[in-house]
Amino acid sequence: MISVREFQNMMHRIYFHRDSERGAEDTFKWLKEEVDELGEAMQNADKKALEDEFADVIAWLASLANVLAIDLESATLRKYDHHCPKCGSSPCQCPFRITKT
Amino acid sequence: MISVREFQNMMHRIYFHRDSERGAEDTFKWLKEEVDELGEAMQNADKKALEDEFADVIAWLASLANVLAIDLESATLRKYDHHCPKCGSSPCQCPFRITKT
């Protein structure tokens, strides 16, 4: 088991010297590329490859949070605290939307 | 404190009825939009808004993992287990790269 904070701290120990040198803008670009790779992996039947892409996205999200000095766990729990932040219910009772826009 | 698995389970309780109805492709599109919004929030000085966008990205990543029956915590710890998966070191000793491509 690992908490969101522990995972972010692990990413800091392994990568912060690189992430801080790269900076927020280029770390964000890398995150976007990993998200694109996750989308590509969804098209294939290789579950291990798909899992690796999920791992990469959360890893780069944590790296970006480190560069920007954001506490990912605190930020997440403030918004998602066991109910939908929009309707206040769990399960969510908001009108169903397929897409965001 | 919340573990990655507990967070994914929380997202399941709040949103799985909607996420499963929407399906993987449209949930992925929504994730991409949230990543774009995170990039926009990086351009502004509002830290609370930036934190909210980080929360949304990890929330939609967990939703997508739920739709695809991926255990985000197991997938993440298998790849990132306290050292860089490429060079095996912590801190990472890989050649520094600003961008992925």
Side-chain angles (χ1 to χ4, degrees), chain A residues 2-62:
Chain A
I2 193 165
S3 71
V4 175
R5 180 166 296 123
E6 287 164 345
F7 179 68
Q8 181 174 356
N9 287 342
M10 187 210 301
M11 290 297 103
H12 196 286
R13 287 191 298 275
I14 304 175
Y15 294 117
F16 188 67
H17 60 307
R18 299 300 170 81
D19 294 334
S20 58
E21 189 175 357
R22 184 184 305 102
E25 289 300 326
D26 285 314
T27 301
F28 177 74
K29 284 181 193 166
W30 203 312
L31 170 64
K32 283 201 61 146
E33 288 201 34
E34 295 295 347
V35 172
D36 288 341
E37 291 183 6
L38 172 59
E40 291 163 17
M42 285 171 55
Q43 311 304 320
N44 302 318
D46 185 343
K47 189 168 181 185
K48 161 100 171 42
L50 182 59
E51 289 175 341
D52 279 350
E53 295 302 336
F54 269 100
D56 286 342
V57 171
I58 196 171
W60 281 92
L61 186 68

